[in-house]
Amino acid sequence: MYTKDGEQYYVVDAHIALWDARPENQRNVHGRQFIDCFYDYHRNLSPEAEVWPYEEYLYQGGERLMRDVFVDGIVDHAVFQPARLAEFYHRGFGQTEEAFALARAHPDKLTYNHYWDPRDGENGLDALRAAAERMQLKGVKLYTADWHGESRGWKLTDPMASRYLELSQELGIRNVHVHKGPTIRPLDRDAFDVADVDHAATDFPDLTFVVEHCGLPRLEDFCWIATQEPNVVAGLAVAIPFIHTRPRYFAQIMGELLYWLGEDRILFSSDYALWTPKWLVEEFVDFQIPEDMSPEYAPITVEQKKKVLGLNAARLYDLPVPEHLRLPEADETETGPREPAAADLAGAR
């Protein structure tokens, strides 16, 4: 729990990972390229005091994760979102078994999401069934730009992807997190295009599609899709660190998301270990739309910040929020269609 100016915030970090990019796990040059690109994001968007040495960035381990996220990081609950990247790393990039074991040891603090890839075919469907039963999955993380043999990406509109979505729904896996954001070397930019979310969200209205990184750099495309697909949610991973280096850009991102989607469909995500959550939470609570931008974007209220920082993700994952950290019943609206024209900018004029 985080407290500031008499307000208490229940914080859910909806996107964290436990990875291993050490040289002995790198299969080829692409493994080094990938983690180097991650590190460039880390050091270029972080406050100087929050930049890690490169060697520490390659692998954190569970003990450090628990300290960074929960002890020092003021997070109440966090959700693992692993990426496989088996073409670049011998044991994969996301350490799935280690992360799952950590979540099993700390169920009050951690939720483990798994992954699937439609290019794994029938065997992958069997593996998903087994994982859902063993791990009691509520969500999955999909990486549409991942390489697989000669393939350098896939789409949610692929016929086999539909079979995996159908099975996910049957298994009770209702939260589908999809990386649709900035590319990471050597992956292809177009393989992260957000357009295929529209088709999948329409075909599977009972699934919630959390678009990680809110489609950046295609924010406008994402907003036009999400405003008419009520089961599409924005994840702030990668977007939120701009609060430090480019606060006006972050104000534009938040202003557009609040206008088109509303406050009930935006999730805080640090993307640990790309960044640690503490400074992001602190800066977000203190953040406000600049005055000269207020004619276009309404101020962000304390209630909206509470929803973004944790209450929205708690609803998606059925997390028990302590009574004193909940909003009044009338303010806890369910995710639903957003009418952009209804955005109240009166207070900003």
Side-chain angles (χ1 to χ4, degrees):
M1 183 186 68
Y2 177 61
T3 302
K4 179 70 181 290
D5 296 332
E7 297 287 349
Q8 296 179 319
Y9 299 81
Y10 180 79
V11 179
V12 179
D13 194 335
H15 192 300
I16 67 168
L18 191 61
W19 68 59
D20 185 357
R22 291 174 291 189
E24 58 267 30
N25 194 30
Q26 295 173 14
R27 287 187 62 179
N28 47 44
V29 67
H30 299 313
R32 176 63 186 261
Q33 290 171 338
F34 188 88
I35 194 61
D36 283 358
C37 187
F38 259 30
Y39 191 67
D40 285 342
Y41 277 118
H42 168 73
R43 63 187 180 87
N44 289 327
L45 297 182
S46 300
E48 185 175 354
E50 300 293 336
V51 176
W52 294 6
Y54 178 79
E55 291 72 22
E56 292 182 23
Y57 201 70
L58 298 178
Y59 174 75
Q60 299 78 46
E63 183 177 344
R64 176 161 187 174
L65 180 147
M66 295 300 293
R67 183 177 71 248
D68 288 341
V69 175
F70 298 105
V71 179
D72 299 335
I74 55 180
V75 168
D76 294 287
H77 198 93
V79 184
F80 278 117
Q81 309 288 358
R84 182 167 59 175
L85 300 174
E87 298 291 334
F88 303 161
Y89 299 96
H90 294 293
R91 298 182 300 277
F93 180 67
Q95 298 306 286
T96 57
E97 290 301 326
E98 189 176 354
F100 174 59
L102 201 62
R104 189 165 51 181
H106 303 279
D108 58 324
K109 292 185 177 297
L110 288 164
T111 293
Y112 176 76
N113 284 355
H114 202 46
Y115 58 76
W116 52 252
D117 187 320
R119 295 167 297 183
D120 290 336
E122 297 292 340
N123 290 338
L125 292 171
D126 292 338
L128 178 58
R129 291 185 186 94
E133 180 178 359
R134 180 169 72 97
M135 299 172 169
Q136 296 298 296
L137 299 176
K138 292 185 178 180
V140 289
K141 169 67 184 295
L142 309 182
Y143 219 72
T144 57
D146 197 0
W147 291 8
H148 191 291
E150 296 299 314
S151 170
R152 291 174 57 160
W154 59 276
K155 294 182 180 297
L156 292 169
T157 51
D158 293 346
M160 186 57 81
S162 292
R163 291 189 58 191
Y164 276 75
L165 289 170
E166 289 171 0
L167 180 58
S168 296
Q169 188 167 267
E170 292 173 13
L171 296 170
I173 303 171
R174 63 180 187 271
N175 298 312
V176 180
H177 296 249
V178 193
H179 180 116
K180 295 292 185 180
T183 189
I184 304 110
R185 189 184 186 201
L187 304 176
D188 296 338
R189 176 182 180 273
D190 288 347
F192 285 135
D193 193 290
V194 73
D196 55 343
V197 172
D198 190 15
H199 186 114
T202 297
D203 284 358
F204 295 92
D206 293 330
L207 296 177
T208 296
F209 291 86
V210 181
V211 175
E212 299 295 354
H213 323 299
C214 53
L216 294 177
R218 307 169 180 87
L219 179 64
E220 186 173 15
D221 288 352
F222 168 69
C223 286
W224 280 96
I225 291 170
T227 195
Q228 50 90 36
E229 298 287 359
N231 57 331
V232 172
V233 174
L236 289 178
V238 176
I240 197 167
F242 285 105
I243 200 171
H244 175 71
T245 55
R246 295 187 59 195
R248 293 179 65 84
Y249 179 52
F250 180 69
Q252 178 189 4
I253 293 171
M254 282 301 302
E256 294 293 332
L257 293 177
L258 287 168
Y259 180 80
W260 292 103
L261 281 71
E263 68 226 42
D264 299 307
R265 289 198 282 149
I266 307 171
L267 307 183
F268 167 74
S269 307
S270 72
D271 216 345
Y272 181 88
L274 266 164
W275 299 276
T276 47
K278 184 174 186 290
W279 70 271
L280 294 169
V281 171
E282 291 173 342
E283 292 203 22
F284 183 72
V285 168
D286 292 342
F287 181 79
Q288 193 49 264
I289 300 292
E291 187 175 347
D292 65 325
M293 298 176 73
S294 62
E296 185 168 2
Y297 302 124
I300 307 174
T301 68
V302 169
E303 289 75 16
Q304 289 173 330
K305 291 177 180 179
K306 288 183 176 183
K307 289 183 177 185
V308 171
L309 279 174
L311 297 181
N312 290 340
R315 185 181 68 245
L316 291 181
Y317 282 92
D318 300 320
L319 301 177
V321 180
E323 185 74 32
H324 68 285
L325 297 177
R326 302 175 189 175
L327 291 176
E329 196 72 27
D331 291 340
E332 290 190 338
T333 57
E334 292 296 321
T335 297
R338 171 70 172 163
E339 295 292 342
D344 180 12
L345 299 181
R349 295 194 175 103

